[in-house]
Amino acid sequence: MILSDADILDRLEAGDLVVEPLDEPDLQIQPASIDLRLGREFLEFQHANIPCIHPTSEQEVAEYVEETVVDDDGEFILHPGDFVLGTTVETVEIPDDLIAHVEGRSSLGRLAVVVHATAGLADPGYRGQITLELSNLGTAPVALTPGMRISQLTFTELSSPAERPYGEERGSKYQGQEGPQASRIQGDREFGGDQ
């Protein structure tokens, strides 16, 4: 079952679902979602003179991205073909009986801006800001302003609470993240990590 605006408000008031700061609930809470705003920090992927990036090499991934922080009254220009990591202003806490889906807003989709490539879920138990995988699929640059509503979360109720929710107990590598986070795939068990 997908939560309606009334369900979302009830869960927020009960405190088991957290979205903070929720500065304009009348604007941000939609009929079946919550709009999230764009933060000021971005990780830009640099053109590198290397044959490929090895996802298991933390050093290579770190060398490939550069952090940009935009002033509150500034803008970030997303050029055609660009892929950058952004973040939401809001921090979320998802209870063990919900899963959140990260979706784009149709108004930005109509400008060819997408907000995620594959990371469209916030698992039960997740706590932190949402990293956005921003791409411009169009032919013209698009100006993104910190604080603008950039994405939305929808919430689906699970048939029962997760027995092993996302979090420290599982060694979840993005739990509690602040700002955009580069890939931590090198921590996966199949690459010699423990996760």
Side-chain angles (χ1 to χ4, degrees):
M1 173 180 77
I2 296 174
L3 270 59
S4 70
D5 52 359
D7 297 326
I8 291 169
L9 281 166
D10 287 346
R11 299 297 292 262
L12 289 169
E13 287 174 14
D16 64 337
L17 171 63
V18 177
V19 178
E20 292 180 343
L22 190 60
D23 292 338
E24 297 184 74
D26 288 343
L27 177 65
Q28 290 179 258
I29 298 176
Q30 300 296 319
S33 65
I34 297 179
D35 287 344
L36 301 181
R37 297 166 295 150
L38 181 64
R40 299 174 45 231
E41 299 132 327
F42 299 87
L43 291 180
E44 295 185 71
F45 289 80
Q46 304 302 308
H47 296 284
N49 191 19
I50 58 175
C52 68
I53 293 176
H54 296 92
T56 58
S57 170
E58 186 174 354
Q59 182 179 357
E60 282 185 20
V61 172
E63 289 175 4
Y64 188 56
V65 296
E66 182 176 298
E67 184 177 31
T68 299
V69 179
V70 176
D71 292 334
D72 285 331
D73 60 349
E75 55 188 27
F76 183 88
I77 306 301
L78 189 62
H79 293 277
D82 276 358
F83 177 82
V84 302
L85 298 177
T87 188
T88 59
V89 169
E90 294 80 11
T91 296
V92 302
E93 293 182 26
I94 310 300
D96 295 351
D97 67 331
L98 294 181
I99 190 165
H101 306 269
V102 181
E103 305 290 349
R105 293 187 61 229
S106 65
S107 295
L108 287 169
R110 295 166 200 232
L111 297 175
V113 174
V114 296
V115 300
H116 75 80
T118 61
L121 292 178
D123 279 318
Y126 174 76
R127 176 180 22 62
Q129 290 177 310
I130 303 291
T131 293
L132 302 169
E133 302 161 336
L134 300 165
S135 294
N136 180 345
L137 303 179
T139 57
V142 178
L144 302 176
T145 307
M148 70 184 289
R149 291 178 292 141
I150 189 81
S151 66
Q152 55 189 339
L153 286 183
T154 60
F155 303 93
T156 303
E157 192 170 41
L158 304 179
S159 59
S160 63
E163 288 185 16
R164 296 184 61 230
Y166 196 89
E168 287 85 10
E169 190 174 299
R170 291 183 65 97
S172 302
K173 56 189 169 225
Y174 301 107
Q175 184 73 316
Q177 73 181 15
E178 295 179 10
Q181 299 296 310
S183 176
R184 296 179 183 163
I185 195 169
Q186 65 277 0
D188 286 1
R189 184 171 294 138
E190 61 265 38
F191 300 122
D194 58 1
Q195 300 170 17

